[in-house]
Each structure stands twice: as C-alpha cells, then as structure tokens.
Amino acid sequence: AGPPFPDPETDRAVYDTAGVLTDATEEQLEATIDAIEARTGVRHESPQVLVLENGKVVWNASHFKVKARAVEEALNRTRNHS
C-alpha cells in the first residue's frame, strides 16, 4: 500500500525522506505552498488538485477524492463558464 509516511509536523508540507532536495529547494517549495494557501484560502493536502477560475478556487479535492474523472468534470464545468 505504498511507502510509510512520516508523522505530520506543524507548519511543514515538504517531506524529503529520500534526501534528494537541497535545503534551498525545500524552503522554496514550502514558501510556494504557503503562498498558494494564502491566495486561495485552501489548506494544503497531499495529493491535492485545485481548479481555479478567474483566480478563485471553484473545485478542490485531496487524497482519495483525487480521481481523473472528477478532475475532468471540474475542468469541463469551468470551461463551460468561460
């Protein structure tokens, strides 16, 4: 059922258990995630998909709700609004 996941830590979104990221890259990723959370108001989850329309989140899903068909339907609804 996949690799073991580390226990979550407060204010941390990037877990480089393989040690392939530099500290600078990890910091940049954390900053990007923080900026997306601030802009959208949606708490970071992983995996996660956000669909935006005119800069606003119109659909989001995370974990086991991330399904190709659901994402496709959300994108189609957004395209139909344009």
Side-chain angles (χ1 to χ4, degrees):
F5 293 99
D7 291 332
E9 297 176 29
T10 303
D11 294 327
R12 183 171 182 191
V14 178
Y15 296 86
D16 179 23
T17 58
V20 297
L21 302 176
T22 65
D23 289 344
T25 299
E26 240 181 280
E27 289 172 14
Q28 183 179 21
L29 292 169
E30 291 281 353
T32 299
I33 291 166
D34 291 346
I36 292 169
E37 284 182 332
R39 179 177 173 193
T40 64
V42 177
R43 183 174 164 259
H44 171 74
E45 301 284 340
S46 185
Q48 182 174 41
V49 176
L50 304 176
V51 175
L52 293 93
E53 183 174 25
N54 299 319
K56 296 187 180 186
V57 176
V58 295
W59 184 86
N60 76 84
S62 63
H63 298 92
F64 296 106
K65 293 181 181 174
V66 175
K67 305 278 187 205
R69 184 171 191 90
V71 174
E72 182 179 17
E73 289 171 0
L75 290 171
N76 286 335
R77 284 193 302 273
T78 302
R79 288 184 192 119
N80 291 335
H81 288 143
S82 300

